[in-house]
Amino acid sequence: LACYLRMARRFVGAYLEVVEETNLLPSNLDARRNILELFLLEKSLTELNYDLVRRPEWIPIPLQATLRMLGCVSNDEMRCF
């Protein structure tokens, strides 16, 4: 999880450096955060659907991410999967 968070911060930071001047994103930080969370949730659900169809043994990976994003379980509870 620590590696994921570190890489996510780097990615978002680099993305914002490029996109900042285009005015494609809202200036409000909360609105930006909401958009990012929506895109991450969409990606997680896409991955979950893909694994349901093609790799059922991998389902716990996107399922954990989706449940965590929705606030259904904490990181500590993820260990049970």
Side-chain angles (χ1 to χ4, degrees):
L1 184 61
C3 180
Y4 166 80
L5 293 174
R6 188 171 46 252
M7 295 307 295
R9 280 190 206 101
R10 287 182 185 170
F11 175 82
V12 171
Y15 177 81
L16 289 175
E17 283 181 22
V18 172
V19 176
E20 191 74 42
E21 298 176 14
T22 66
N23 295 320
L24 292 173
L25 295 175
S27 58
N28 180 295
L29 292 180
D30 287 333
R32 286 183 181 190
R33 188 174 298 112
N34 289 339
I35 290 171
L36 176 60
E37 289 174 3
L38 177 64
F39 286 148
L40 290 172
L41 180 59
E42 178 187 28
K43 177 63 174 166
S44 178
L45 291 170
T46 299
E47 291 296 320
L48 181 57
N49 183 59
Y50 182 89
D51 290 344
L52 283 167
V53 173
R54 293 174 184 84
R55 303 182 297 209
E57 67 278 4
W58 287 27
I59 291 171
I61 298 167
L63 180 60
Q64 289 175 10
T66 302
L67 292 173
R68 189 172 45 247
M69 280 185 255
L70 293 172
C72 297
V73 292
S74 69
N75 288 331
D76 291 335
E77 292 170 312
M78 284 297 162
R79 295 183 187 146
C80 68
F81 277 93

